[in-house]
Amino acid sequence: MPEIKTYSGSCHCGAVRFRLKTETITTGVRCNCSICVRKGAVMSSKYFEPHEVEEISGTENLTTYQCSDKVMDHVFCRTCGIYPFHEWKSTYRVNLGCIDDLDVLALEIGLIDGRSF
Ligand SMILES: [Zn+2]
């Protein structure tokens, strides 16, 4: 069984906080689609299931942007503009830069060719 760790995360101003319960994060992804390439964030390699994402607080501070496809909720903090995760069918891909004590640029970072989807 892989070790399960609890990670804490937040947007930049701290209005939005959450915890992740998951196996140790060793990888991340970047994506070249029109929205991700503008954000430049390193995202989690997988979508987290609802039971892995705990205690999201400050959700009233989040606002949602939907691209033309309308399948993905890109949420961001109204105060600091940071985008902690996006939501797709009640699962979450997390902006790893929002995770406390995670050296995000030291992860093995892959590329998703979202532009071709
Ligand atoms: Zn914020």
Side-chain angles (χ1 to χ4, degrees):
M1 284 287 285
E3 188 193 352
I4 300 297
K5 287 183 68 165
T6 301
Y7 293 93
S8 300
S10 66
C11 66
H12 193 262
C13 72
V16 180
R17 293 183 185 280
F18 60 93
R19 287 201 315 205
L20 280 181
K21 224 173 200 169
T22 183
E23 46 209 70
T24 306
I25 296 171
T26 58
T27 62
V29 289
R30 288 185 191 272
C31 171
N32 63 3
C33 81
S34 60
I35 184 163
C36 290
V37 81
R38 282 169 168 77
K39 290 172 174 163
V42 176
M43 303 302 293
S44 57
S45 299
K46 64 173 222 173
Y47 279 90
F48 292 102
E49 297 294 327
H51 71 270
E52 296 174 293
V53 183
E54 295 187 326
E55 293 186 26
I56 303 177
S57 63
T59 50
E60 69 283 358
N61 228 57
L62 290 172
T63 189
T64 300
Y65 172 68
Q66 286 188 321
C67 302
S68 49
D69 55 15
K70 300 256 196 267
V71 293
M72 197 87 82
D73 283 345
H74 298 273
V75 296
F76 57 97
C77 172
R78 325 173 173 266
T79 304
C80 65
I82 295 297
Y83 142 74
F85 46 78
H86 58 248
E87 193 176 341
W88 177 69
K89 295 183 177 173
S90 298
T91 60
Y92 301 86
R93 195 189 284 277
V94 173
N95 178 351
L96 296 180
C98 293
I99 305 292
D100 297 340
D101 305 320
L102 183 69
D103 187 357
V104 66
L105 297 181
L107 300 173
E108 186 185 319
I109 297 173
L111 182 67
I112 297 176
D113 186 15
R115 192 184 299 176
S116 305
F117 291 174

